[in-house]
Amino acid sequence: MNILLIGSGGREHALAWRLSQSPSCEKLFASPGNPGIAECAECVAIDLADHGAVAAFCAEKGVGFVIVGPEAPLVEGLGDSLRAAGIKVFGPNANAAILEGSKGFVKDLCAREDIPTAAYARHNDKAAALADLPRFGLPVVIKADGLAAGKGVIIAETESEAREAIEHMFGGGFGDAGAEVVIEEFMTGEEVSFFAISDGTNVVPFGSAQDHKRVGDGDTGPNTGGMGAYSPAPVFTTALEAEVMERIIQPTVRAMARDGRPYSGVFFAGLMLTPQGPKLIEYNCRFGDPECQVLMMRFQGDLVELLLAAATDGGLSKAARPNLSDDYALTVVMAANGYPGTPEKGGTIAFKNVGAARIFHAGTAMNDGQLVANGGRVLNVTAIGATVTEAQASAYAAVDAIDFPTGFCRRDIGWREVAREKTGH
Ligand code: AMP
Ligand code: GLY
């Protein structure tokens, strides 16, 4: 079968790497792809905003299956358009991708289905939002309802910060995404990323990971898309996984199907392990980046078969359950100086001996035969180990074998788990 993968980041390189190993993958295309993806797929330029052009490409190249990496094309209905053209798609239709596209939608769904999450209020009027603030206490979380490239969440420590955030959002600071604002109770606990794959009716767990959102060591500095991750997250025990499947994921799948919005694709649930138990922070309708990189390192089996089953009505009832190895995988993001502000472009990258580590490309480009940085997050240096400590050591040994003078990385990815492994609890 010929397959088209949409996207150009480290997440998509990891997907392309596993997809290309599947016996049922005859030819893999990626659009737009990147120089790393080009090692396992043919990268093609398609105007992804033109859904007709994507469908025409599939018809011309005999592509029967499209896997969508990022959220924006799904929220914009690429899944709907391709399904209408008779092409199978991994990723939800727009009316289900709303789980990522509207935070307010998810909060209302949680309230209706009794899914544990932070207390909240939705507002489309600034004065009403400001008047509602005091009952949430401090800190308080202010969110733009729509997609804001991961930047639409403000944790306000003071009332004036909270008021400023509300003013900024209603003032158009996040464009249309801020036309509606969600105010949320601040939850405490450890955060976990959990993944599950659904065909619209059936849903199976796909493992856990922990990301490191802040740019600096010790979780300091501004938020980023994620500076590194490891999988599994041992704090997310099998008992917690069972609880989350039963109390959060399955009720969501049932409600979406009942409401005429069947969700097929991957659920990326951001969870807070609070003293009262696991609560949903948010849903994403795609794999995490860099969480996907560590999940793909552990995934055993035929990825095309699994994703195709999810893209088929009821297909997961007949498919093998996802099998992830017992090893730990850890990935370190190498970013370009300046990230998460304006990253320096064009810095050269050269690899020495990176050992058994796997380098997934994110923001890279080829410039006259030279690999260069072409984005904020540039490389994902990914390794496996019997413990997080071991995986971390191999990943950093590989980082040290990469010559990228205009780049930087955190030196403490996995710190929570390395500390627990050292003390034994
Ligand atoms: P989101 O974009 O919704 O994932 O939010 C970004 C980050 O903000 C999350 O990863 C959490 O660290 C934090 N966050 C979001 N909502 C809450 C909440 N209600 N309580 C505490 N932290 C939150
Ligand atoms: N790593 C977090 C995300 O993909 O949103």
Side-chain angles (χ1 to χ4, degrees):
M1 147 173 271
N2 294 349
I3 299 173
L4 170 65
L5 171 68
I6 307 285
S8 64
R11 166 181 54 210
E12 286 78 19
H13 187 184
L15 288 169
W17 170 63
R18 273 292 183 227
L19 291 168
S20 66
Q21 292 169 358
S22 164
S24 40
C25 179
E26 276 167 49
K27 168 94 192 166
L28 181 63
F29 297 96
S31 183
N34 68 33
I37 295 174
E39 288 164 17
C40 39
E42 181 181 336
C43 295
V44 291
I46 310 173
D47 178 1
L48 299 174
D50 181 349
H51 297 176
V54 182
F57 174 86
C58 294
E60 184 195 328
K61 301 290 187 185
V63 168
F65 187 28
V66 176
I67 294 154
V68 184
E71 66 280 11
L74 295 167
V75 172
E76 286 156 15
L78 180 61
D80 306 61
S81 305
L82 295 175
R83 285 189 179 93
I87 298 159
K88 290 216 183 268
V89 182
F90 182 77
N93 278 342
N95 71 355
I98 192 171
L99 285 185
E100 178 160 1
S102 168
K103 296 185 191 297
F105 176 92
V106 174
K107 299 301 288 189
D108 284 354
L109 178 118
C110 289
R112 277 199 309 275
E113 308 301 326
D114 197 23
I115 292 170
T117 188
Y120 74 105
R122 295 177 80 169
H123 286 288
N124 52 24
D125 176 73
K126 186 172 78 179
L130 290 170
D132 201 19
L133 253 185
R135 73 179 165 107
F136 287 91
L138 289 169
V140 61
V141 186
I142 313 291
K143 299 184 174 182
D145 178 73
L147 289 188
K151 298 191 175 73
V153 175
I154 289 162
I155 298 178
E157 302 285 345
T158 64
E159 189 171 333
S160 66
E161 262 174 59
R163 295 179 72 88
E164 219 169 275
I166 290 174
E167 301 270 1
H168 182 65
M169 287 180 194
F170 282 113
F174 295 105
D176 289 347
E180 183 178 320
V181 162
V182 177
I183 306 178
E184 271 184 35
E185 161 207 14
F186 179 77
M187 298 185 284
T188 55
E190 199 164 324
E191 256 183 90
V192 173
S193 302
F194 175 60
F195 299 84
I197 296 197
S198 174
D199 62 14
T201 318
N202 307 287
V203 61
V204 291
F206 196 77
S208 65
Q210 269 183 313
D211 191 7
H212 300 63
K213 292 259 191 197
R214 303 296 197 95
V215 75
D217 283 12
D219 292 334
T220 54
N223 258 323
T224 68
M227 293 299 291
Y230 58 91
S231 173
V235 287
F236 196 64
T237 57
T238 42
L240 280 174
E241 178 179 292
E243 184 179 346
V244 166
M245 287 299 288
E246 192 184 318
R247 296 222 45 209
I248 299 180
I249 305 291
Q250 282 157 355
T252 304
V253 171
R254 280 196 299 271
M256 294 295 280
R258 180 199 65 213
D259 296 344
R261 302 171 181 271
Y263 186 100
S264 92
V266 61
F267 282 99
F268 165 3
L271 301 171
M272 191 74 87
L273 306 181
T274 77
Q276 298 87 41
K279 293 189 183 181
L280 181 69
I281 302 171
E282 61 157 5
Y283 275 130
N284 298 295
C285 62
R286 51 170 174 87
F287 282 108
D289 186 344
E291 289 95 328
C292 186
Q293 290 81 317
V294 282
L295 290 172
M296 287 305 131
M297 287 296 272
R298 295 179 53 225
F299 179 76
Q300 313 283 301
D302 187 330
L303 187 63
V304 171
E305 209 168 84
L306 176 70
L307 301 190
L308 198 55
T312 307
D313 219 3
L316 284 175
S317 62
K318 295 177 236 64
R321 279 175 84 84
N323 178 14
L324 301 181
S325 79
D326 291 334
D327 293 322
Y328 288 94
L330 183 141
T331 189
V332 176
V333 170
M334 295 186 84
N337 287 338
Y339 181 75
T342 307
E344 190 174 332
K345 275 196 182 179
T348 57
I349 301 162
F351 302 113
K352 291 174 231 155
N353 182 5
V354 298
R358 191 154 284 288
I359 314 298
F360 295 119
H361 290 220
T364 65
M366 285 305 258
N367 191 354
D368 283 338
Q370 167 68 51
L371 188 68
V372 298
N374 189 42
R377 294 187 293 171
V378 178
L379 299 171
N380 309 137
V381 183
T382 314
I384 284 272
T387 59
V388 176
T389 308
E390 256 183 60
Q392 187 198 53
S394 325
Y396 281 113
V399 164
D400 293 335
I402 295 173
D403 190 22
F404 177 24
T406 62
F408 72 97
C409 66
R410 276 180 65 159
R411 297 296 314 192
D412 65 345
I413 299 304
W415 65 269
R416 274 195 183 82
E417 213 43 53
V418 169
R420 283 185 196 120
E421 285 175 356
K422 212 170 262 162
T423 59
H425 51 78

